[in-house]
Every structure is written in C-alpha cells, then in structure tokens.
C-alpha cells in the first residue's frame, strides 16, 4: 500500500521523463487495480479508486505541473472514475462521485 502512496505522490507532482510518462501512469493505475482487487469490501475498493480519481484530477488542475503530464493524467482519468462508479453502492458514495463530477464540470484546468 505504501508503494501505491509513493507512486501517487510522484503522479501528483508530475513525472519528469516525457518518454515514459504514459507507461508510468499505466503502471500506477494497474497498481491501484491490484490493490483494489485484494480488498474484500466494495466500499474499500470504491475508496481506492476514488483516491486515484482525486490524485489525477488534482494533477490536471495544477498549473505547476507540466502541461504534457497534465494531459496524460486527463487522458487516463476516466479509468478509475468508471471503476469507482461500479463500486458506488450506497448514497454517500454516489454523492461523493457526483461532487467530483460537478467540480470537473465547473473548475476548468488552466491552459488545457
């Protein structure tokens, strides 16, 4: 779990190697899926995917991160979002996702 947190931090601040950025991001999302698959409760799986959505979206909106990295994060944002929707079985989870989506629709990333 700490490896995923460390990787999430690296995603958040922006991966420096332009050539490998898509591979790094794919590996992060694969790791998120592996962690979620190890969990038994859907609520826990939802939390893992929701956290990945938040990390990617915060990165997309951060003007201090390179534009190319922000585009890569935006291109992959739908993956954990769709998975989170699959595991949003209760009202509070659906409300949390709705808030994220509203924020995505109202808060525009700078220079994208």
């Amino acid at each position: 779990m700490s490896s995923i947190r460390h990787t999430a931090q690296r995603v958040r601040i922006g991966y420096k190697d332009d050539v490998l950025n898509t591979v790094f991001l794919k590996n992060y999302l694969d790791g998120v899926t592996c962690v979620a698959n190890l969990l038994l409760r859907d609520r826990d799986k939802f939390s893992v995917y929701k956290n990945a959505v938040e990390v990617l979206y915060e990165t997309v909106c951060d003007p201090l991160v390179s534009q190319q990295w922000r585009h890569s994060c935006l291109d992959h944002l739908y993956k954990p979002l769709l998975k989170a929707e699959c595991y949003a079985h209760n009202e509070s989870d659906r409300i949390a996702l709705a808030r994220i989506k509203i924020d995505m629709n109202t808060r525009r990333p700078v220079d994208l």
Side-chain angles (χ1 to χ4, degrees):
M1 198 70 158
S2 64
S3 176
I4 289 294
R5 279 191 217 123
H6 175 71
T7 306
Q9 290 172 345
R10 289 184 66 195
V11 168
R12 181 59 190 88
I13 61 172
Y15 192 67
K16 301 296 183 205
D17 188 345
D18 293 338
V19 175
L20 297 176
N21 66 2
T22 304
V23 173
F24 180 75
L25 199 51
K26 183 186 178 313
N27 288 341
Y28 166 64
L29 293 173
D30 288 346
V32 167
T33 299
C34 286
V35 168
N37 288 339
L38 293 173
L39 301 171
L40 299 176
R41 296 179 357 165
D42 284 352
R43 175 76 174 122
D44 296 334
K45 293 178 184 195
F46 170 79
S47 295
V48 169
Y49 286 118
K50 180 178 161 271
N51 183 54
V53 169
E54 290 170 343
V55 167
L56 292 177
Y57 187 64
E58 288 172 8
T59 305
V60 167
C61 292
D62 187 350
L64 300 177
V65 176
S66 76
Q67 189 172 11
Q68 182 176 4
W69 184 246
R70 291 167 45 214
H71 276 285
S72 294
C73 290
L74 183 61
D75 289 344
H76 289 83
L77 183 61
Y78 75 93
K79 294 174 184 179
L81 183 60
L82 290 175
K83 296 275 185 136
E85 287 175 344
C86 290
Y87 293 108
H89 296 310
N90 61 47
E91 192 66 24
S92 66
D93 292 347
R94 288 188 288 272
I95 289 171
L97 277 182
R99 287 185 178 148
I100 292 170
K101 290 177 184 179
I102 289 169
D103 190 39
M104 287 179 183
N105 287 323
T106 57
R107 182 175 148 199
R108 294 293 173 207
V110 180
D111 298 330
L112 278 184

